[in-house]
Amino acid sequence: MTPLRKGVAGIVAVGLTVATAALSRVPLSFSADDQGQLRLSWRVEGVTAEACRTLPEEELARLPAHMRNPKACIGVIASYHLQVTVDGATAVQDTIRPPGARGDRPITVLRELPLAPGRHRVSVRFDALLPEGVPAPEGVTSMAWEGAVDVGRGDVVLLTLDDRARNLVRQERPVLP
């Protein structure tokens, strides 16, 4: 490498270092507007909805001996309906299905909704969708939270799951956006 090339390479390296240092001091804003945020974040195992029927003798006789169970049951992890209203208006209305090839994985909810600064009335419902005629299984099939939230510019209000009570709660400690 010639001395001229070494000098140019050194100048370029110093220039890039200075530019990187200057750009690292530029303030960074994660939000283009002056909104707050309602964050919904929880994970549930879901409930298994099981439908069973008693097999008639003729149907049992057609089965191989090792498969002759007088009760035939079909079980599925229930989907959930999520509904969020803010100040009486529907903000989210969605059906959340369990992930996985067989629909047998835990359900994760992570939604972020913008909120204008001020006081808002928020209502969240998370209900299992059970097939018609299937009795309610053991476990929690419905969760809800309702209340007023005060939101400032850049604030995050977090609603999550309280594992002990198996219901939705507002997390009171500060959360970084």
Side-chain angles (χ1 to χ4, degrees):
M1 190 180 242
T2 65
L4 179 61
R5 280 189 161 177
K6 285 183 180 179
V8 169
I11 291 171
V12 168
V14 168
L16 288 174
T17 302
V18 169
T20 301
L23 288 174
S24 70
R25 296 180 186 269
V26 173
L28 179 63
S29 174
F30 291 101
S31 177
D33 50 13
D34 293 336
Q35 301 267 338
Q37 193 176 80
L38 173 64
R39 182 174 294 160
L40 309 175
S41 178
W42 62 85
R43 179 177 180 241
V44 293
E45 293 295 326
V47 293
T48 301
E50 191 172 67
C52 296
R53 68 182 180 95
T54 303
L55 296 176
E57 288 297 323
E58 54 274 1
E59 194 173 339
L60 276 174
R62 287 191 304 248
L63 294 173
H66 69 283
M67 295 179 67
R68 291 185 185 158
N69 185 351
K71 274 197 165 187
C73 297
I74 298 173
V76 295
I77 304 286
S79 297
Y80 281 80
H81 181 254
L82 174 65
Q83 181 172 351
V84 180
T85 58
V86 178
D87 298 328
T90 301
V92 173
Q93 188 152 308
D94 196 6
T95 300
I96 301 173
R97 292 170 177 39
R102 295 180 297 190
D104 59 353
R105 307 296 302 158
I107 295 172
T108 302
V109 174
L110 180 57
R111 300 285 172 100
E112 295 177 340
L113 307 170
L115 289 178
R119 187 173 192 87
H120 299 280
R121 186 90 187 138
V122 176
S123 174
V124 178
R125 292 207 47 88
F126 192 63
D127 300 309
L129 299 173
L130 301 172
E132 217 173 288
V134 173
E138 287 185 28
V140 179
T141 58
S142 183
M143 294 175 265
W145 185 88
E146 189 170 332
V149 295
D150 292 312
V151 180
R153 194 180 83 177
D155 286 349
V156 176
V157 175
L158 175 64
L159 295 181
T160 190
L161 183 65
D162 175 13
D163 288 330
R164 287 167 293 180
R166 299 296 294 163
N167 207 0
L168 300 176
V169 295
R170 178 179 175 178
Q171 189 155 358
E172 295 299 329
R173 67 176 184 237
V175 176
L176 297 176

